Amino acid sequence: MASVPTTAPESAGKKKKVEDVGQIPQWKLMVRRFRQSRLSVAGGIVLICMYIIVILAEFIAPNDYQKIEADYQYARPSEITFAAGWPGIYAQQAILDKENFTWTVETDYSTVYPINFFVEGHSYKILGLFESNIHLFGVQAPAKLYFWGADGQGRDIFARVLKGGQVSMSVGLVGVTMVIVLGSIIGTASGYFGGMIDNLMQRTIELIQSFPTLPLWLALAAALPREMPVVQRYFFITLVLALVDWTGLARQVRGKVMAYRSADYTAAALAAGGSHLRIILTHMLPNALSHIIVVAALAIPGVILGETALSFLGLGMLPPAVSWGVLLRDAQQVQVIMLYPWMLTPGIAVVLAVLCFNLLADGLRDAVDPYG
Amino acid sequence: MSVAQQPSSSAIPTSAPESAAPEEDIVLEVQDLHVYFYTQIGVVRALNGVSFKIPRGKVLGIVGESGCGKSQTSLATMQLIPRPGKVESGKILFREFNNQEPIDLLTLERNSDEMRNIRGDNISMIFQEPMTSLNPCYTVGDQIKEAIILHQGVDKEEAHTRAVDILRKVGMPNPERIAISYPHQLSGGMRQRAMIAMALSCTPTLLIADEPTTALDVTTEAQILELMRDLQREIGMSIMFITHNLGVVAQMCDEVAVMYLGRIVEWASVDDIFYNPKHPYTILLLRSIPRLGSEEHIRLESIKGSVPDPYTRVPGCPFHPRCPSFMPGLCDVEEPPETTVDGNARHTVRCHLYT
Amino acid sequence: MVNFLIRRLFYMLVTLFFVSIIGFALIELPPGSYLDSELQRLRQLGGNLSQSQIRSLEIRYGVNDPTYLKYWKWVSGAVRGDFGESFEYKKPVGELIWGRLLFSVTLAFSSLIFAWLVSIPLGVYAATHRYTIPDYLITAMQFIGVAVPQFLLALVLMVFATTVLKQEVGGLVSQRFVNAPMSWEKFWDFVSHLWIPIIVISAGSTAWLTRVMRANLLDVLNMQYIQTARAKGLKEGVVIWKHAVRNAIHPLVMAIGGVLPALISGEVIASIVLNLPTTGPLLVQALIKQDMYLAITMVMFLSIMLIVGNLIADLLLAWVDPRVRLE
């Protein structure tokens, strides 16, 4: 740092800031840089909110996501009214069209049913642990609260999107965890030991990258028996997504490790009799960690989109499990969307989640490596 | 002979003083040039009232440490100051021919046809980094031809012949082959020769050379300097030679302007700068170069401190925080005016020691 | 150059060999076979089948052969252009897929061209007008373009085309032209159907390429040779398009390798949603129904598309960049 003994006093403040840049730890600098990109911070905050909402899905949703209501097929989203000075809705009811003999759902504007908070309803378990029957809000029967309308079987889309988010939003995290484990182990081994191992790993990676992504996912997912229990299928689908995605991370880690391998401190550690494992764990992985996190964050949107696409095509999660892709499968026909546009709401959820992850990852990358 | 300039940094006499000799033929006259950079952190005052003249057929050296504004002066002359920089005020008067009414380049639109016709035709430029100053995607010949076709309106074949000629002139072995080579196939010295060829392809009135030899090794540097000197005499052009190397200045220049923090602190003939330096900064600069024949084991002196943070504005004389002859109460308060030295109108200095 | 090409072609064959083994193993992986579902269907139709009937079917389909034998049968046929027979369609695989493959290649290729045609000017504009409102808009569009799943975009565009443009969507030509002979009208109808799949397939890639282009051009604009070009007195347009863009294209060509898998995946999924007669819908059906020869052949061809595409990208790079070409 340049130091000028007698410059003008106005430079003093700046000097102080410059000096402390040299003293604070690396990670704090990264946090500082990350916080400068407001869009990324906003993306992160929205994501945290989405995760909280999704975890508390059953508490927040007024209806049971699986309950079939024959009277409310394709019911419109409830109209919220402030006519009573308090948010309320009108009831909808199924009416038989006597000319065409079809049922349509119509809104009855005569009575307002106020929305109440912390009402009792069906019982549920949050995270499979806490049992309760209190819901954040609800209305009195016979009205039913459909924030985002109902699907072809009268199931509440709001509840289904929230519940589906549990799969879709966690697939990203679980999948990326698998990617990190696979990618860092293989990448580190490849970069650290070099030679035959490296050659073999690199050829394997090239081979995997010679398959187009989606057809490979499809082929792998098609290999899963269709009768699997939901949890098992969830795990395998995530594994399928991770199996294709780890190659990028492995390459990055390999490059990093190779650079560290030739660094003096590694030679020093080897000379001091450190074992390979110890050198990798104490010297290399911590150094590569920030890069691993960034690459992982960049991979999450791909995993989420992958699950959605697979489920949409009927090869990922299968009903009765719900995920955003499964829900969008009901909106495959243009006619359905034109008549009942609210069937596309899960799509908005997907876009929002992926968008926020992209923004977040972008900010993280700039924070870790401003010139990269 | 030009007259001593007014002791104010802002006002330059527009009316010719009576002592101005009619034979004085000035190619480029920069008057009170201010260039500011508006960055997010603050305003950087890159040039704070730079004034100088380049007579026809002469070489003016501009010397100073990194960051003193040498390169910005040259870019301002070409109207190529990069964003967020802006020419705040000043005049850059250019005369292509003797006795011609001067054109103020700053009144021309940056990308106007007039400005572009001057750029590359009347004033051309050589940059510091020969490795990156040629476009890697086109052959050397194509890049030279581009300027010839643009400014001289000849067809492609004629342009090619001229490009090969100029390559031969700058001492390229086998110029026909060089013309169809890509830059990455040439060495640094060859590339700089190619750059010089490109700059001279339209026989400019003024050549701006921004540290043209800094990136080259010593032998190549000597060859390039000799080449430039020879071509300068042959074509009779003027050169604005920017460098931080005083050895190069002694070899190349007729007159020298020493810059510090966006101002010219001393201007004199090359002999006066070396044998009769006045400004403490010039003196210190000269002491920091090694000399042959000086007593052994004498430590080279360095100038204490370094160029201050560009965002701050140093009150008074910009050099006072580092000056050995600092006079408290004067130097840090009042900016020294430009004064002539010993009645010699061709030697001016900005320092309170001489007011 | 010739050496490079020969080496690359040889390497490509080796890759394809391994791709075929892995692909085949993958498709053989699920328990059961096409015969199981076929038997179920036959039972529903006409009561019980005798053991000997089942046996003869098993032999006909060769389902009990060991995997390596099946692989050998398929691969030895494949090199002679015989890809086996589809169980479901009872037709040779080659006959089923050639037409569809042609459409797939056309779609993926047109989408790549479209992505380039859109992303280069957008990227150049964004880079030369940095921190202006259009630049921010282009950046925002990039983020959204990457975030929207392709099938969702396809659905939304279909709704848009039907409601706003009153256009018949789905398929590659309108109903009335399906069996009509080729004519200008039919061709025009085909083109008007093409825009939705092309936008759907290329949206993500366009966004990504625009981003690459903007970043590269910003780097290039800081290079010394751009100042050199300006100092020559060239027009700003010439400086940008002749000197800067030419150098910024280079990473864009390298990015083809990264974009191709997305384009091919996009082609598969867009075709399924838009019901286009390309490989996509057939591949998904074949995978679900375990129509193995059909499935493996299509996976192979999609991989070939990717590998050949990468080879073309490499050749293009050598053509664009003299530094690569002359090494």
Side-chain angles (χ1 to χ4, degrees), chain A residues 203 206-207 209-212 214-216 218 220 308-309 312-313 328 331-332 334 338 344 347 350 354-355 362 365, chain C residues 11 15 18-19 22 26 143 146-147 149 151-152 155 158-159 163 211 261 264-265 269 272-273 287 302-303 306:
Chain A
R203 296 296 89 77
E206 273 164 30
L207 196 57
Q209 288 180 342
S210 304
F211 284 97
L214 187 75
L216 184 57
L218 290 174
L220 282 167
T308 313
F312 178 78
L313 294 178
L328 283 168
Q332 253 177 341
V334 176
M338 288 200 299
L344 274 184
V350 177
V354 172
L355 187 65
D362 228 48
R365 186 186 47 199
Chain C
Y11 188 64
T15 314
F18 281 105
V19 164
I22 293 180
L26 263 181
F143 273 108
V146 178
F151 64 85
L152 192 64
L155 289 172
M158 276 164 85
V159 172
T163 53
R211 203 183 153 105
I264 294 171
S265 306
I269 204 161
I272 294 167
V273 178
L287 284 172
L302 291 176
S303 297
L306 181 61

Side-chain angles (χ1 to χ4, degrees), chain B residues 38-268:
Chain B
Y38 297 91
T39 70
Q40 284 178 331
I41 324 173
V43 180
V44 176
R45 293 174 175 83
L47 298 182
N48 289 306
V50 167
S51 305
F52 61 85
K53 292 173 186 175
I54 305 178
R56 190 171 305 276
K58 297 284 182 196
V59 180
L60 173 75
I62 298 184
V63 201
E65 282 168 288
S66 316
C68 70
K70 293 170 298 185
S71 295
Q72 297 312 324
T73 311
S74 65
L75 290 177
T77 313
M78 295 293 270
Q79 284 240 54
L80 288 176
I81 294 276
R83 258 179 289 203
K86 221 184 127 200
V87 176
E88 277 297 305
S89 61
K91 279 183 181 171
I92 298 178
L93 302 174
F94 175 70
R95 282 185 197 83
E96 193 186 349
F97 306 107
N98 193 7
N99 298 328
Q100 181 199 22
E101 196 54 33
I103 318 167
D104 184 357
L105 298 182
L106 292 179
T107 58
L108 301 178
E109 210 32 60
R110 186 187 167 106
N111 284 324
S112 64
D113 289 347
E114 294 98 321
M115 191 62 225
R116 287 193 300 101
N117 283 335
I118 290 172
R119 241 183 251 150
D121 191 12
N122 299 329
I123 307 178
S124 54
M125 191 159 177
I126 309 172
F127 296 95
Q128 182 174 357
E129 280 292 330
M131 295 320 221
T132 55
S133 48
L134 288 166
N135 191 327
C137 280
Y138 298 99
T139 62
V140 171
D142 281 343
Q143 295 185 55
I144 297 176
K145 273 187 268 176
E146 205 178 13
I148 297 177
I149 292 170
L150 182 71
H151 294 298
Q152 308 196 331
V154 295
D155 63 11
K156 277 185 181 173
E157 280 155 50
E158 175 61 22
H160 186 78
T161 328
R162 290 193 196 182
V164 172
D165 282 349
I166 192 86
L167 280 171
R168 185 174 294 118
K169 212 168 182 178
V170 295
M172 284 283 202
N174 200 349
E176 287 86 1
R177 222 201 57 236
I178 298 289
I180 53 166
S181 303
Y182 286 94
H184 71 273
Q185 295 168 306
L186 308 182
S187 69
M190 301 253 268
R191 284 187 216 185
Q192 202 58 304
R193 278 175 202 264
M195 269 306 288
I196 293 173
M198 192 192 294
L200 299 188
S201 58
C202 300
T203 46
T205 319
L206 173 68
L207 175 69
I208 300 175
D210 186 357
E211 310 223 18
T213 56
T214 309
L216 303 176
D217 64 69
V218 187
T219 349
T220 321
E221 173 173 45
Q223 288 169 0
I224 296 285
L225 291 178
E226 200 185 311
L227 173 72
M228 287 181 73
R229 197 67 180 157
D230 290 348
L231 291 170
Q232 185 256 332
R233 287 199 189 107
E234 191 184 325
I235 302 174
M237 64 185 171
S238 313
I239 300 183
M240 185 198 292
F241 196 94
I242 292 163
T243 181
H244 62 264
N245 184 338
L246 286 164
V248 172
V249 168
Q251 206 176 334
M252 280 298 291
C253 304
D254 301 307
E255 290 171 352
V256 183
V258 180
M259 274 188 92
Y260 187 78
L261 266 195
R263 290 171 191 82
I264 287 180
V265 291
E266 185 164 6
W267 170 70

Side-chain angles (χ1 to χ4, degrees), chain B residues 1-5 19 24 53 255 267-269 272 338-349:
Chain B
M1 284 286 119
S2 146
V3 80
Q5 274 152 356
S19 61
E24 177 80 331
K53 292 173 186 175
E255 290 171 352
W267 170 70
S269 71
D272 280 341
E338 196 173 64
T339 33
T340 53
V341 176
D342 307 334
N344 178 359
R346 302 205 68 100
H347 190 168
T348 61
V349 67

Side-chain angles (χ1 to χ4, degrees), chain A residues 128-174:
Chain A
L129 294 174
F130 311 105
E131 194 165 352
S132 167
N133 63 350
I134 303 290
H135 294 258
L136 185 57
F137 39 71
V139 290
Q140 281 202 322
K144 260 188 160 311
L145 183 53
Y146 285 113
F147 269 133
W148 295 341
D151 69 2
Q153 300 181 53
R155 292 175 295 195
D156 179 8
I157 290 185
F158 180 69
R160 291 175 76 72
V161 169
L162 262 49
K163 184 70 188 170
Q166 290 184 348
V167 169
S168 294
M169 293 201 58
S170 63
V171 154
L173 296 186
V174 178

Side-chain angles (χ1 to χ4, degrees), chain C residues 73 85 94 108 124 144 162-163 176 194 287 311 325:
Chain C
K73 271 198 212 161
E85 190 173 290
V124 170
I144 294 169
T162 337
T163 53
R176 65 200 159 97
L194 214 54
L287 284 172
L311 180 67
R325 191 190 323 153

Side-chain angles (χ1 to χ4, degrees), chain A residues 41-164:
Chain A
V41 176
I45 292 171
V46 173
L47 279 177
I48 292 173
C49 295
M50 284 176 87
Y51 274 106
I52 293 174
I53 291 173
V54 159
I55 289 170
L56 302 177
E58 285 95 341
F59 166 67
I60 290 170
N63 302 314
D64 183 355
Y65 75 99
Q66 281 174 312
K67 184 100 182 284
I68 294 172
E69 298 274 356
D71 285 351
Y72 289 95
Q73 287 177 13
Y74 292 122
R76 300 180 160 280
S78 309
E79 287 176 46
I80 308 233
T81 171
F82 290 90
W86 175 264
I89 59 160
Y90 301 109
Q92 302 184 64
Q93 51 189 175
I95 288 165
L96 183 66
D97 181 346
K98 281 177 185 135
E99 278 171 33
N100 301 320
F101 290 100
T102 50
W103 288 90
T104 51
V105 183
E106 303 239 321
T107 309
D108 170 16
Y109 289 104
S110 55
T111 346
V112 177
Y113 294 85
I115 296 176
N116 300 317
F117 287 90
F118 300 106
V119 294
E120 286 189 12
H122 66 276
S123 347
Y124 57 86
K125 272 184 182 173
I126 284 179
L127 295 172
L129 294 174
F130 311 105
E131 194 165 352
S132 167
N133 63 350
I134 303 290
H135 294 258
L136 185 57
F137 39 71
V139 290
Q140 281 202 322
K144 260 188 160 311
L145 183 53
Y146 285 113
F147 269 133
W148 295 341
D151 69 2
Q153 300 181 53
R155 292 175 295 195
D156 179 8
I157 290 185
F158 180 69
R160 291 175 76 72
V161 169
L162 262 49
K163 184 70 188 170

